[in-house]
Amino acid sequence: MLTKRIIPCLDVKDNRVVKGINFLNLRDAGDPVELGARYSNEGADELVFLDITATIRSNKTIIELVEKVAANVFIPFTVGGGITEPDQIGELLRSGADKCSINTAAVMNPQILAESAKRFGNQCVVLAIDARRTKGVKNKWHVTVKAGSEPTDIDAVDWARRAEDLGAGEILLTSMDADGTKAGFDIELTRAVAGAVDIPVIASGGAGSLESCYDVLADGNASAVLAASIFHYNEYTVKDVKDYLASRGVAMRPVD
Amino acid sequence: MIVIIDYGVGNVKSVTNAVRYIGCETKVSCDPVDIEAADGILLPGVGASGYAMEKLGPLADVICDIAKGGKPLLGVCVGYQILFDESHEYGVHKCLGLVEGKVIPIPVGRIIPHMGWNYVKFGEKMELFSGMGEGRHFAFAHSYYADITDPDAVVAYTDYDMDIAASVQKGNIFGCQFHPEKSGADGLEVLRNFEKFCKGVKC
């Protein structure tokens, strides 16, 4: 049986892992090479590295950093932040990434999903959606771009469906309202998107309690949970999360 | 020495990182001279099988000949899928034909790609899993699977609302649908077992 995945996320700025609340008020959370190796050894199922300054397209140092992190990570490794061309995906894969996440560039030019899937396979193409609840409308979310700073009028559920048709192999779905708050995932958002597509959905934004991780997997139908703060600041280990979820009947890859 | 074949398809770096991490002498190459001198060959690959065969070009015959000659060969993911007779991904493509079978889409009605860690149950006969008990979890990322019909092949399966071939062995020819280089400590153990097999077989 396929297990649900626990995915620590490294938000990287100036070669350091940082974490903010609702994408703002960043504080330092450690060294990406060290944290990556630690999570890989501690039983994380995947690792995500997001260059939050979106400088992958122009920054050689980010590529070098990806290489250094990848050298000690023996679990699937996704890299994103500022990817605008399929060629950059090729470069990141050569640097040790296994998958790449695309966000703003896909909204601006959806064909990048199709082109990337054709070249590298759809299992390699992750569409990242930063969704925000639309005020005054129940259970409706719109897509935001440029690290959540610019709203669009695109419906998040429609966009997920379209991205799947274009060739995305997975959706990394972040609730902008919940991100960094540790107040729990947006279960309704996750359920709406997971119900609209047949590709895996990674729930992100709001991981705080063990219960919230259970809820978004069991009720939100997510294939994976992504979390940052709870791991970086040692509130829970990957093993804590997995043991708890397994005790509640969620299929997990056990940690030794 | 194990030669990792670099034919411009996929995550050569990840495979190289893992093989070097276990302390195995390795060379990334697409030179037939290196391939013939190697103790074993590792054929990685991600993406589509047809594209992989196209990129492999004349190396396909080199690999077939030396694998048939007894040199250990390990195909991973798409490198595994092209071990079979043909692939039905974006049209029908003739593949290496080292193991009888064809690669076809995972039937709809489940989340596709089959993405993440699944439990693989293996028999004692499979040398890649030597010393690892009855089964372990490994990391998968694929939308097509091999329907294996070769009577001489030993197959380990994983359950995804159907049996999916996760690994194959036919004499000196090995394949993993999952990514041993991305399956934590257990994946590294699979690579160590392949290295041991290579050291035991001198060609």
Side-chain angles (χ1 to χ4, degrees):
Chain A
M1 188 184 192
L2 186 66
T3 57
K4 301 276 189 178
R5 289 170 280 156
I6 306 301
I7 308 178
C9 179
L10 310 176
D11 292 321
V12 177
K13 187 188 181 193
D14 302 329
N15 289 338
R16 296 290 293 176
V17 176
V18 295
K19 190 59 209 170
I21 295 172
N22 302 123
F23 288 25
L24 300 169
N25 301 321
L26 303 176
R27 63 173 170 141
D28 189 83
D31 172 54
V33 179
E34 220 168 86
L35 281 173
R38 188 183 115 194
Y39 295 138
S40 175
N41 290 332
E42 284 182 352
D45 295 314
E46 287 188 24
L47 185 72
V48 169
F49 174 117
L50 295 177
D51 169 19
I52 62 164
T53 57
T55 49
I56 281 174
R57 64 177 168 272
S58 57
N59 196 341
K60 210 76 205 143
T61 62
I62 286 286
I63 298 281
E64 283 167 17
L65 184 57
V66 165
E67 247 173 43
K68 279 186 200 156
V69 175
N72 299 295
V73 170
F74 301 109
I75 53 176
F77 182 38
T78 301
V79 178
I83 293 171
T84 54
E85 303 278 343
D87 283 347
Q88 292 158 345
I89 296 179
E91 192 175 7
L92 287 165
L93 295 181
R94 280 194 298 279
S95 308
D98 301 295
K99 307 190 238 183
C100 287
S101 85
I102 312 175
N103 190 334
T104 304
V107 174
M108 303 302 172
N109 169 28
Q111 282 309 315
I112 189 179
L113 296 173
E115 285 166 30
S116 305
K118 198 174 162 201
R119 274 179 60 181
F120 308 107
N122 66 353
Q123 84 295 327
C124 177
V125 180
V126 182
L127 174 73
I129 301 178
D130 294 333
R132 195 183 275 284
R133 278 184 179 266
T134 306
K135 285 206 174 86
V137 192
K138 191 172 156 53
N139 287 349
K140 189 171 166 53
W141 300 266
H142 59 270
V143 174
T144 68
V145 295
K146 299 191 179 165
S149 65
E150 283 183 22
T152 70
D153 55 8
I154 301 166
D155 180 80
V157 177
D158 290 345
W159 176 223
R161 212 180 272 124
R162 181 154 178 237
E164 176 184 27
D165 290 343
L166 285 164
E170 193 164 36
I171 289 174
L172 168 52
L173 180 63
T174 300
S175 161
M176 287 293 302
D177 306 290
D179 185 75
T181 63
K182 297 200 279 184
F185 293 91
D186 189 333
I187 310 279
E188 281 136 356
L189 167 66
T190 312
R191 192 194 294 127
V193 172
V197 297
D198 291 321
I199 55 179
V201 174
I202 303 167
S204 156
S209 65
L210 298 174
E211 290 79 5
S212 69
C213 294
Y214 174 82
D215 291 343
V216 81
L217 292 170
D219 300 334
N221 300 324
S223 291
V225 291
L226 180 139
S229 317
I230 61 166
F231 295 134
H232 300 337
Y233 302 122
N234 298 306
E235 285 163 49
Y236 296 106
T237 62
V238 172
K239 184 173 167 33
D240 292 336
V241 177
K242 288 190 160 192
D243 287 351
Y244 171 81
L245 292 169
S247 77
R248 294 198 62 184
V250 179
M252 285 279 126
R253 173 176 72 110
V255 181
D256 294 333
Chain B
M1 183 195 54
I2 289 177
V3 164
I4 297 169
I5 299 187
D6 182 8
Y7 57 117
V9 180
N11 63 343
V12 172
K13 187 83 177 183
S14 291
V15 175
T16 312
N17 280 340
V19 173
R20 292 203 172 130
Y21 184 83
I22 62 167
C24 172
E25 195 192 334
T26 182
K27 185 168 186 180
V28 178
S29 174
C30 57
D31 182 343
V33 176
D34 291 330
I35 295 170
E36 280 176 26
D39 298 323
I41 309 164
L42 212 158
L43 185 61
V46 296
S49 307
Y51 182 67
M53 282 304 294
E54 189 189 314
K55 295 288 278 186
L56 208 49
L59 274 183
D61 289 338
V62 175
I63 293 167
C64 273
D65 287 348
I66 57 173
K68 283 176 185 162
K71 199 185 290 291
L73 168 67
L74 171 60
V76 169
C77 199
V78 168
Y80 150 86
Q81 293 189 346
I82 62 175
L83 297 177
F84 299 95
D85 295 316
E86 60 185 36
S87 164
H88 291 229
E89 186 172 5
Y90 299 114
V92 180
H93 303 274
K94 192 176 172 297
C95 294
L96 298 174
L98 292 167
V99 184
E100 287 172 36
K102 60 184 179 184
V103 174
I104 53 179
I106 297 174
V108 294
R110 45 179 71 66
I111 292 175
I112 296 171
H114 176 220
M115 175 85 74
W117 297 70
N118 208 335
Y119 184 78
V120 177
K121 199 162 182 269
F122 33 75
E124 286 171 6
K125 280 185 187 168
M126 299 187 78
E127 288 172 79
L128 285 184
F129 306 105
S130 175
M132 298 178 75
E134 288 181 354
R136 298 288 170 97
H137 286 87
F138 294 100
F140 291 83
H142 64 119
S143 305
Y144 288 74
Y145 76 105
D147 180 14
I148 303 174
T149 47
D150 198 316
D152 298 325
V154 189
V155 184
Y157 290 95
T158 191
D159 175 19
Y160 194 44
D161 294 330
M162 64 178 285
D163 278 340
I164 287 186
S167 183
V168 70
Q169 179 176 3
K170 182 185 177 184
N172 59 304
I173 297 164
F174 301 84
C176 294
Q177 176 64 74
F178 60 82
H179 287 274
E181 78 283 8
K182 287 284 157 178
S183 293
D186 289 334
L188 295 174
E189 194 58 28
V190 166
L191 294 173
R192 277 191 202 98
N193 280 333
F194 178 65
E195 187 198 11
K196 271 184 216 157
F197 185 88
C198 294
K199 282 184 171 164
V201 183
K202 292 283 175 194
C203 301

